[in-house]
Amino acid sequence: MPSSIYSLRGEPFGSNIALEIGYSNQRFIMSNIEIAVAKGDGIGPEIMDAVLGIFKAAKVPLAYHTIEMGKAFYDKGFSTGMSPEAKETVERLGILFKGPMETPKGKGVKSINVTARKVWSTYANRRHFRTLQGVDTIYSKAGIPIDLTIVRENIEDTYGGIEHMLTNDVALCRRFITRTGSLQVCRFAFEMARREGFKKVACGHKANIMKLTDGLFLECFYEVAKDYPEIQAYDVIVDDLCMKLTTRPNEFQVVVLPNLQGDIVSDLCAGLVGGLGFAPSANIGDNISIFEAVHGTAPDIAGKNIANPTSLLLSGVMMLRHLGLYSYAETISNALFYTLEQGEHTGDFGDKLIPSSSTSEFAEIIIGNLGKKPKKHPSHIAPEDVQAYKLPKSPSEFHVMASGKEAKDELIGVDIFLESEAQPAVIAGTVKSFLKDNMQLVMISNRGTQVWPEGSLFTECVNQWRVRVERKPNQIISSQEVYSCVSQLSEQLFVSSTEMLRNFNGKAGYSLAQGQ
């Protein structure tokens, strides 16, 4: 492992203590690695102080820049939930360790957690779920061991948050799944599986219904899988996946999913091992990575020194591994596992016959157990060839990703979204009167179900319609003709949105309506 990965940009923060560590029969001199720390809201400061206290006791070579993020900065008028200085610090150091943060309700602002992940392109969210001794669940009591990793695409999908009211009664959310983003996160999942010795990677999806969006994600999964022949790659429809996770979770090792489905499934998996209090989370990007507790801020117990710091501590251990500090990660995780194995616990879990510890007391017990190993499932140093943290690049312009795959595209027509309370046949007549000679009205749907030229009177409709206009056989149309037609139609009916219909390499780039 080259020592250059530990070099830092600029002057070290605080005391620059040189540490000599042993690794694979080699010795390196390491300076403190600088990271950004945001303590968070609610119980965040308490559990962060507990974790950093454990790091200090274990002599982890880190130097901390405490930055300002969270609810207090929304209240000061920072719509992103962070100060400009905080943004600059994270982008300079490349690592953010954060506690839970609250997004104010009813103010129209975006979640600070989602914003940070997206702004800094942390495209892969990794959450590791494992059976922990001392944390009783129905699975641990049944002797069913759980050790699985959920990899969630972290930027796209409905988390783009692109929403519009098309009518007073109809809201639209646009769902983006890209080829480059899907390839990126699937590659991460397989690379992680190869490095850490996993033999199976599953893709969770809903491509049976969302054939283009989830279909593209699934296509990219199998494209990447070809480069990892030693790993079993298979796919599971997400509803079936949820059932199987609750009935036989020990059959899964790594599961990669699109953003929204991954969010839901990862919380389901947290329930399998005792809850979000035991679910570490890493948001990995090529330049910047975020490690955080994924549970809430628990304002009802904030300041009472009774919160469980385990999730944040496990997330910190993931961060240490990412930074290449494997021996420290091993020492701390083993101390935690030993502590849990001895029955020590905070008030939210554990044997009620054993008195619970406060947040700070629990941290002190872990500190006292540094150097000890649990009887079951001790942590081990990662293989030497695991790639450690790289300093962030300094981009001079926005990076535009492209898959490099060429495609011949043809303009087929347009879907026109209209607001009207008229009957489908009346809408059809109006639309036809504005069509050019090379165009034809193909279909009208409502909430995705065809209602014209054929449909059922039992289909209940709302006041927003999708009108599909296509070119006639052996004809061509231009985008100028399409927009001219839509412009003229808008004089008669309110047009709320349009989507072009295109074929790519002879394959339709749009879906059919239900019943079409």
Side-chain angles (χ1 to χ4, degrees):
M1 180 182 300
S3 57
S4 60
I5 61 171
Y6 301 118
S7 61
L8 297 173
R9 180 165 42 190
E11 293 299 320
F13 173 78
S15 60
N16 184 18
I17 304 173
L19 297 176
E20 189 175 90
I21 64 170
Y23 192 77
S24 297
N25 299 318
Q26 301 181 54
R27 304 188 76 81
F28 303 108
I29 300 300
M30 179 189 296
S31 298
N32 283 353
I33 300 175
E34 298 177 283
I35 67 169
V37 173
K39 293 189 176 183
D41 302 313
I43 62 172
E46 300 164 65
I47 61 175
M48 182 62 77
D49 287 345
V51 170
L52 296 186
I54 295 169
F55 282 9
K56 180 180 180 181
K59 295 181 172 56
V60 178
L62 295 177
Y64 310 114
H65 290 257
T66 302
I67 62 172
E68 300 173 323
M69 293 176 66
K71 182 178 181 298
F73 293 89
Y74 282 115
D75 295 340
K76 289 182 179 179
F78 293 101
S79 62
T80 60
M82 72 181 83
S83 66
E85 294 78 13
K87 180 174 180 290
E88 186 278 331
T89 298
V90 174
E91 292 182 354
R92 177 169 56 87
L93 301 178
I95 297 290
L96 171 60
F97 189 30
K98 63 182 285 291
M101 293 183 181
E102 177 184 347
T103 299
K105 297 179 176 62
K107 296 186 178 181
V109 295
K110 297 287 189 178
S111 162
I112 178 61
N113 304 302
V114 175
T115 297
R117 296 167 194 162
K118 290 169 62 64
V119 165
W120 291 318
S121 298
T122 61
Y123 55 83
N125 174 244
R126 179 188 180 182
R127 296 186 185 177
H128 184 207
F129 307 93
R130 57 171 289 176
T131 299
L132 297 172
Q133 299 299 314
V135 183
D136 288 336
T137 68
I138 58 173
Y139 301 98
S140 64
K141 292 178 180 179
I144 301 174
I146 297 172
D147 188 357
L148 67 92
T149 296
I150 299 296
V151 177
R152 162 191 172 193
E153 195 287 318
N154 217 22
I155 295 174
E156 304 179 347
D157 205 340
T158 54
Y159 282 71
I162 303 172
E163 300 180 295
H164 298 87
M165 294 296 298
L166 296 188
T167 78
N168 190 50
D169 296 337
V170 180
L172 170 71
C173 177
R174 290 177 181 261
R175 181 176 194 248
F176 288 98
I177 302 290
T178 71
R179 186 180 304 277
T180 50
S182 300
L183 290 171
Q184 213 174 27
V185 72
C186 290
R187 180 75 61 186
F188 172 86
F190 278 97
E191 278 294 315
M192 181 205 69
R194 172 178 282 175
R195 288 198 311 263
E196 301 188 16
F198 294 109
K199 302 302 181 184
K200 298 189 297 183
V201 177
C203 177
H205 65 89
K206 197 64 179 174
N208 57 322
I209 302 299
M210 293 176 283
K211 298 183 184 298
L212 295 184
T213 49
D214 274 41
L216 177 58
F217 190 87
L218 184 59
E219 176 187 329
C220 291
F221 171 79
Y222 279 117
E223 180 179 335
V224 172
K226 293 177 182 177
D227 295 333
Y228 302 84
E230 77 280 14
I231 298 174
Q232 178 188 350
Y234 62 105
D235 65 275
V236 189
I237 295 173
V238 68
D239 41 345
D240 184 36
L241 171 65
C242 290
M243 181 190 70
K244 289 177 178 174
L245 282 169
T246 58
T247 55
R248 41 188 189 275
N250 53 311
E251 292 185 2
F252 293 91
Q253 293 184 356
V254 179
V255 184
V256 59
L257 304 102
N259 202 337
L260 178 60
Q261 297 164 15
D263 191 5
I264 296 168
V265 170
S266 61
D267 274 23
L268 181 152
C269 290
L272 304 179
V273 297
L276 289 174
F278 305 97
S281 178
N283 304 282
I284 306 298
D286 289 336
N287 298 299
I288 298 171
S289 295
I290 305 169
F291 299 83
E292 61 183 344
V294 295
H295 55 67
T297 59
D300 55 321
I301 64 170
K304 297 182 180 180
N305 194 30
I306 60 175
N308 181 359
T310 303
S311 174
L312 187 62
L313 181 58
L314 288 170
S315 300
V317 167
M318 293 176 73
M319 177 182 69
L320 298 183
R321 294 185 184 280
H322 180 77
L323 291 169
L325 303 175
Y326 308 117
S327 61
Y328 296 95
E330 177 190 25
T331 298
I332 293 171
S333 56
N334 277 332
L336 169 64
F337 298 154
Y338 179 87
T339 300
L340 295 173
E341 197 173 73
Q342 299 307 303
E344 302 289 350
H345 62 94
T346 50
D348 58 318
F349 75 101
D351 187 345
K352 299 306 178 184
L353 297 178
I354 299 176
S356 62
S357 300
S358 67
T359 307
S360 54
E361 289 170 342
F362 190 66
E364 286 299 325
I365 294 170
I366 295 172
I367 289 171
N369 289 329
L370 290 169
K372 298 178 182 179
K373 293 185 178 181
K375 293 180 180 178
K376 294 186 177 181
H377 311 301
S379 177
H380 298 286
I381 295 177
E384 184 179 356
D385 62 354
V386 174
Q387 182 179 3
Y389 167 66
K390 298 180 297 183
L391 282 170
K393 303 172 185 175
S394 298
S396 59
E397 58 184 19
F398 286 102
H399 176 57
V400 180
M401 299 191 301
S403 68
K405 290 194 171 185
E406 296 183 1
K408 179 183 179 182
D409 66 282
E410 300 174 278
L411 180 60
I412 304 300
V414 63
D415 275 350
I416 307 170
F417 296 85
L418 304 171
E419 178 179 353
S420 176
E421 295 185 10
Q423 290 292 307
V426 174
I427 295 173
T430 302
V431 171
K432 286 181 178 179
S433 67
F434 288 95
L435 297 183
K436 301 183 183 299
D437 291 341
N438 58 345
M439 302 178 181
Q440 60 182 341
L441 177 62
V442 174
M443 175 275 296
I444 299 176
S445 69
N446 196 286
R447 293 193 289 182
T449 302
Q450 178 174 281
V451 294
W452 185 94
E454 296 180 358
S456 170
L457 294 178
F458 289 96
T459 301
E460 294 182 329
C461 300
V462 296
N463 63 346
Q464 197 270 334
W465 313 82
R466 174 177 55 158
V467 173
R468 176 159 292 176
V469 174
E470 295 182 6
R471 66 186 186 186
K472 289 181 178 179
N474 302 318
Q475 296 287 312
I476 60 172
I477 58 174
S478 65
S479 59
Q480 291 82 1
E481 289 176 305
V482 168
Y483 285 122
S484 174
C485 173
V486 171
S487 176
Q488 295 175 46
L489 178 61
S490 66
E491 296 176 5
Q492 187 70 30
L493 294 170
F494 185 81
V495 177
S496 55
S497 181
T498 61
E499 288 290 348
M500 292 293 193
L501 307 178
R502 301 164 72 188
N503 283 354
F504 295 91
N505 292 332
K507 183 180 179 181
Y510 50 92
S511 62
L512 298 178
Q514 298 292 335
Q516 186 178 2

